[in-house]
Amino acid sequence: MVEVHVTNTSEPPHPALAGREEESAVLMDAIRRLIAVATATTAPADATLAAARELESVADALERHVPDPPLPKTMLHLADGARADGAGADLAGRMAYDIVIGRHNPMALPLEVALEPPKALLRGTFTRPYEGPPGCVHGAVLAGAFDIVCAAANVIAGVAGPTARLEIVYRRPTLLGEPCVFEGEVEAREGRRVRTVGRLLQRGRVTVEATGDFVHLDREDIARMAAQME
């Protein structure tokens, strides 16, 4: 599960989590365990089918509580609300269902976000569900992590906005089961264009490097984007 070290407890939870944030976290942990087990189990056919039927029943029960239309996954209007010291930068809370860092998305990566100006960091260890080549982390998983760590660095610098281009250079394999540290930092800014760089360290060595181009959006731009998604 992704957690942010610096949180602002005065901020309300995502609207979909009001009154059920802790219970949702328990549900997410159970689903993460299921994913890990399901990608490793060799249960016999009858046990596999029985589990599938039980899970369908659980899904049916939860589906009855899905609003139509669904609430937005990301609170975009808060995405540029962090100060340089990191206060108010609970990115995993604001992006509660994000595919990469969402605290309440069981598919999110097993990484913790930390803001250490001027850098943003992601720390964690990848396990078997994230495997690509034997014993190594899938390259697409690493690319997703870099997109987030660079975006978090942009938040620190006050230049949050969408990704225009992301270049990944794989220097050496990134191993499963070994601690990872992703670093991101804004390198340059020209008008609305932002250049942000990142690297992944494992065992003190760089395994992957990234360079991203981003487009800075102000609060009004973000508000308009959020309105279009409603």
Side-chain angles (χ1 to χ4, degrees):
M1 180 175 64
V2 178
E3 297 178 355
V4 178
H5 294 304
V6 182
T7 60
N8 183 346
T9 56
S10 66
E11 293 179 359
H14 189 285
L17 296 167
R20 55 182 290 272
E21 196 167 7
E22 291 185 8
E23 292 78 7
S24 176
V26 173
L27 175 62
M28 296 307 111
D29 285 343
I31 297 173
R32 290 185 189 98
R33 182 187 173 201
L34 175 64
I35 291 171
V37 171
T39 56
T41 186
T42 57
D46 57 345
T48 301
L49 184 57
R53 288 172 174 166
E54 285 189 54
L55 292 173
E56 287 288 356
S57 178
V58 171
D60 289 342
L62 292 176
E63 190 173 34
R64 291 195 288 270
H65 302 282
V66 175
D68 185 17
L71 292 172
K73 292 173 60 179
T74 300
M75 300 168 72
L76 286 174
H77 61 291
L78 295 175
D80 66 341
R83 300 199 306 269
D85 61 3
D90 184 6
L91 301 181
R94 293 174 179 184
M95 303 168 67
Y97 298 105
D98 183 76
I99 187 62
V100 179
I101 63 165
R103 186 175 296 149
H104 295 269
N105 186 332
M107 295 185 293
L109 305 184
L111 300 170
E112 294 183 349
V113 185
L115 304 186
E116 299 180 6
K119 292 184 178 181
L121 303 176
L122 291 177
R123 296 187 179 97
T125 301
F126 291 98
T127 53
R128 184 170 178 174
Y130 305 95
E131 187 173 31
C136 300
V137 185
H138 198 295
V141 170
L142 298 175
F146 273 112
D147 190 49
I148 285 296
V149 79
C150 289
N154 296 344
V155 168
I156 293 174
V159 289
T163 308
R165 183 186 69 89
L166 184 64
E167 179 181 357
I168 306 294
V169 179
Y170 300 96
R171 298 296 184 189
R172 54 176 51 89
T174 299
L175 303 176
L176 295 175
E178 293 285 343
C180 296
V181 179
F182 294 81
E183 300 178 346
E185 184 174 359
V186 173
E187 181 179 69
R189 177 183 178 186
E190 182 177 350
R192 287 197 167 196
R193 306 295 293 189
V194 179
R195 171 65 58 87
T196 306
V197 296
R199 64 178 187 166
L200 168 56
L201 293 166
Q202 193 175 62
R203 295 182 176 180
R205 299 193 304 174
V206 175
T207 64
V208 189
E209 293 176 322
T211 302
D213 292 328
F214 299 82
V215 181
H216 172 49
L217 299 181
D218 57 26
R219 287 180 178 272
E220 290 73 23
D221 293 327
I222 293 173
R224 282 193 293 270
M225 181 182 294
Q228 292 173 359
M229 296 176 65
E230 293 177 352

